[in-house]
Amino acid sequence: MKNMISRRYQETEKTAMGEVFDFLEKYDDIINLSIGDPDLVTDSGVIDKMAEDAKAGHTKYTDYRGYPELRAEIAKFYKEEYAVEIEDSEIFVSTGGCVSMYLVMEAILDDGDEVIIPDPYFAPYPSQVKLARGKAVMLSTYEEEGFQINIERLEKLVTDRTKAIILNTPNNPTGACLSLETMNKIADFCEKHDILVVADDIYTAFSFDTEFVPIMKIGSMRKRTITINSFSKNFVMTGFRVANIIGPEEVIQAIQKINENVVFTTPSISQRAALHALKMRHEIQPAIVEEFKSRVQYCKKRIEGINNMSVLDGGGSFYVFPNIKSTGLSSKEVTRLIMQEAHVLVLPGNAFGECGEGYIRISCTVGIEKLSEAFDRIEKMNMFV
Ligand code: PMP
């Protein structure tokens, strides 16, 4: 019999996430700080309104680009938050940030086109580029440079096939936020080389030290920026699978064509929830932001008191990315020991690219009480005393 599985999917190697899931089943005192899906439950007001809408008949396919009311609310959000005018034709409601990145890549790439990805990166990016038959080109970023993008290094990667660069600020996994100075330089670079920016704006509410500025606002970037804006993290709605894409009308039209053949339309009830979340954001978001800010600050404070572990100050998102190089062990070894000895699950930094080697990623998925227990266990480990 022929192999049923396409050659592209015959690899059997386990991912870092896969190993974590195996371990989860083994013990009942595990504190899981691995994947980015926190314990907070979506606001009950949003859920109630969504349920009312479902009962009123919002249970069907919607407009291809999403409910017009939701699109209008997204445009209003951009105007109120960032003073940017977005046309309705520039908005597409999609089924989560992950699928949005794939749709964008599929829409903009010809076979072999190159996409620059700052490393460390959100693990699926290279595969999303590859699925769309593009080539992922990694741009190293370093803690010593605050994980900012170094333009000289970026310039060296440009070829005549470079189509886009992916930006994610506040960042997963490093927590770093791109400075306005870096964003201005990236804008000049993109203009000079005619390169698009795909902005994965998923942690925008969690820019704790500086105000988040969307890159589409800088210089003439509006015409060359495609923004992905997920509800997953900013509104703790990971399970709803809803996001939006903002970009030039022709890109949105191409995305609509592709999406029609993949999911047709984004789930109606998730769109209703997104609509209500946006409308109620001033009531519901401050508490979420405050909670993550205090969790991140708590983790950083604890790390300060641990030998062989250090972390950069400032930044955002709800991840902490401590440097563990002075243990003399690899990211994978440290992660495994923390898992075995402390029963705490974190992810090895190199699961997020080569530049993540020497780091671990802690996701602030639980409240301070549990985080405190996790750090109490970790700091007793031989390699950290
Ligand atoms: N981008 C980044 C940087 C992320 O961290 C995540 C989720 N962890 C996503 C995209 C995907 O989010 P979703 O598909 O839930 O919108």
Side-chain angles (χ1 to χ4, degrees), residues 67-87:
Y67 278 115
E69 294 152 88
L70 174 54
R71 297 189 326 241
E73 201 59 39
I74 291 164
K76 190 163 164 243
F77 168 83
Y78 268 83
K79 193 167 176 189
E80 286 175 7
E81 293 290 317
Y82 308 122
V84 184
E85 299 276 348
I86 312 277
E87 294 297 325

Side-chain angles (χ1 to χ4, degrees), residues 96-98 122 125 168 172 200 202-203 230 232-233 241 319:
C98 270
F122 175 51
Y125 289 157
N168 171 229
N172 174 13
D200 187 6
I202 179 164
Y203 298 102
S230 174
S232 282
K233 315 287 164 139
R241 315 306 303 130
Y319 305 103

Side-chain angles (χ1 to χ4, degrees), residues 327-383:
T327 60
L329 300 175
S330 71
S331 294
K332 228 175 163 177
E333 286 163 334
V334 170
T335 303
R336 197 163 279 153
L337 285 171
I338 292 178
M339 193 151 76
Q340 286 164 352
E341 294 178 19
H343 290 186
V344 175
L345 302 187
V346 298
L347 288 174
N350 64 331
F352 304 91
E354 275 176 26
C355 293
E357 180 51 56
Y359 299 84
I360 55 171
R361 193 197 73 172
I362 297 173
S363 175
C364 295
T365 51
V366 294
I368 288 182
E369 211 175 301
K370 270 256 168 275
L371 287 173
S372 150
E373 194 184 328
F375 278 103
D376 288 349
R377 292 190 205 165
I378 291 171
E379 72 183 1
K380 288 196 194 93
M381 292 174 60
N382 279 341
M383 68 180 156

Side-chain angles (χ1 to χ4, degrees), residues 65-269:
R65 287 192 294 113
Y67 278 115
E69 294 152 88
L70 174 54
R71 297 189 326 241
E73 201 59 39
I74 291 164
K76 190 163 164 243
F77 168 83
Y78 268 83
K79 193 167 176 189
E80 286 175 7
E81 293 290 317
Y82 308 122
V84 184
E85 299 276 348
I86 312 277
E87 294 297 325
D88 179 64
S89 57
E90 296 172 306
I91 302 174
F92 186 88
V93 179
S94 56
T95 315
C98 270
V99 107
S100 302
M101 185 59 81
Y102 162 69
L103 289 172
V104 170
M105 291 302 148
E106 188 70 14
I108 66 173
L109 299 182
D110 281 314
D111 293 15
D113 276 351
E114 294 172 10
V115 178
I116 297 174
I117 301 177
D119 177 352
Y121 48 81
F122 175 51
Y125 289 157
S127 304
Q128 288 163 328
V129 171
K130 210 167 134 196
L131 275 173
R133 295 170 302 280
K135 184 176 162 213
V137 176
M138 302 309 166
L139 167 70
S140 302
T141 70
Y142 298 109
E143 183 184 3
E144 298 72 30
E145 297 170 353
F147 291 111
Q148 297 293 307
I149 285 167
N150 176 307
I151 300 295
E152 286 83 60
R153 222 175 287 132
L154 179 59
E155 286 277 358
K156 291 198 185 114
L157 300 182
V158 178
T159 72
D160 57 359
R161 297 303 303 271
T162 308
K163 188 75 187 264
I165 175 167
I166 296 178
L167 297 183
N168 171 229
T169 178
N171 187 267
N172 174 13
T174 64
C177 294
L178 291 181
S179 68
L180 212 48
E181 190 193 342
T182 304
M183 293 222 269
N184 278 314
K185 285 185 188 162
I186 296 169
D188 291 344
F189 162 87
C190 289
E191 201 55 50
K192 177 173 154 199
H193 295 287
D194 188 17
I195 288 171
L196 300 172
V197 161
V198 183
D200 187 6
D201 287 357
I202 179 164
Y203 298 102
T204 54
F206 313 118
S207 182
F208 302 130
D209 303 319
T210 47
E211 194 190 340
F212 171 78
V213 179
I215 192 146
M216 66 161 90
K217 261 199 91 164
I218 297 181
S220 56
M221 284 307 287
R222 179 68 189 281
K223 63 176 190 300
R224 56 177 69 256
T225 302
I226 304 163
T227 301
I228 300 171
N229 194 350
S230 174
F231 288 80
S232 282
K233 315 287 164 139
N234 282 347
F235 294 96
V236 286
M237 287 172 57
T238 48
F240 288 79
R241 315 306 303 130
V242 61
N244 61 78
I245 306 171
I246 294 173
E249 187 174 345
E250 64 268 34
V251 175
I252 297 299
Q253 281 170 3
I255 286 173
Q256 177 180 326
K257 273 189 224 156
I258 302 158
N259 197 61
E260 265 179 62
N261 298 320
V262 183
V263 290
F264 203 58
T265 62
T266 295
S268 57
I269 51 173

